[in-house]
Amino acid sequence: MAYIIDGHNLIGVLPDIQLNQPDDESRLLDKLRSHRAHRGGGEMIVFFDSGPSGAGSVSPVTRPGLVSTPGVDVRFSGQNQSADDAIVQFLKRAKQPGQYAVVTDDQDLSARVRALGASVLPAHEFVRQIQRKGASPNSPI
């Protein structure tokens, strides 16, 4: 199962990253990459609200560290679009939305993605799982 991560929502529940930090997004991505490497794979697609250009793209020159890497795909919502709407749009286009678990505590987004066939993993639970020490590399998260 692949994970779609509501990036700013997840940052909001992490004890060691704050939304008002200038590097909050890159710190989240570092944490996700480290977790992914430790557990041995799995696809993660991280959505953030609009990038620096507001056009749904990000420049590695202006925002170092906010680029996709193998297994961690970074996406920004388009102009006048929320990350929540970008997640829903992604799932509407997916051939098998049921193959995705959306990581969020946002109840409205949770209802919208469940209606499309995706599952929801509460952000608080995801945080507990990535902080668990000694987790098996084959554990679901």
Side-chain angles (χ1 to χ4, degrees):
M1 177 170 291
Y3 295 95
I4 295 176
I5 298 172
D6 183 357
H8 291 124
N9 185 270
L10 182 57
I11 291 170
V13 299
L14 285 166
D16 57 341
I17 304 175
Q18 303 301 313
L19 284 166
N20 62 353
Q21 292 174 301
D23 63 345
D24 60 344
E25 294 163 342
S26 60
R27 290 180 66 191
L28 172 64
L29 294 173
D30 288 345
K31 183 179 287 289
L32 294 174
R33 289 179 183 119
S34 174
H35 173 69
R36 185 180 177 279
H38 173 74
R39 69 178 263 275
E43 179 185 6
M44 296 181 189
I45 306 168
V46 185
F47 283 84
F48 293 111
D49 290 311
S50 189
S53 69
S57 63
V58 64
S59 165
V61 174
T62 59
R63 304 282 294 265
L66 298 184
V67 294
S68 297
T69 55
V72 180
D73 185 10
V74 180
R75 298 182 184 208
F76 288 86
S77 62
Q79 190 171 18
N80 300 318
Q81 180 187 44
S82 69
D84 293 2
D85 290 341
I87 290 169
V88 169
Q89 182 179 22
F90 175 86
L91 288 169
K92 283 181 178 178
R93 292 180 180 161
K95 291 182 182 186
Q96 297 178 338
Q99 72 180 354
Y100 296 99
V102 178
V103 176
T104 188
D105 279 344
D106 182 313
Q107 295 304 308
D108 180 58
L109 178 59
S110 295
R112 293 169 68 193
V113 301
R114 281 187 181 115
L116 295 170
S119 60
V120 174
L121 177 61
H124 286 88
E125 177 60 28
F126 185 82
V127 168
R128 276 194 291 273
Q129 291 177 3
I130 64 174
Q131 291 179 333
R132 189 172 41 208
K133 296 191 191 286
S136 163
N138 296 324
S139 64
I141 211 113

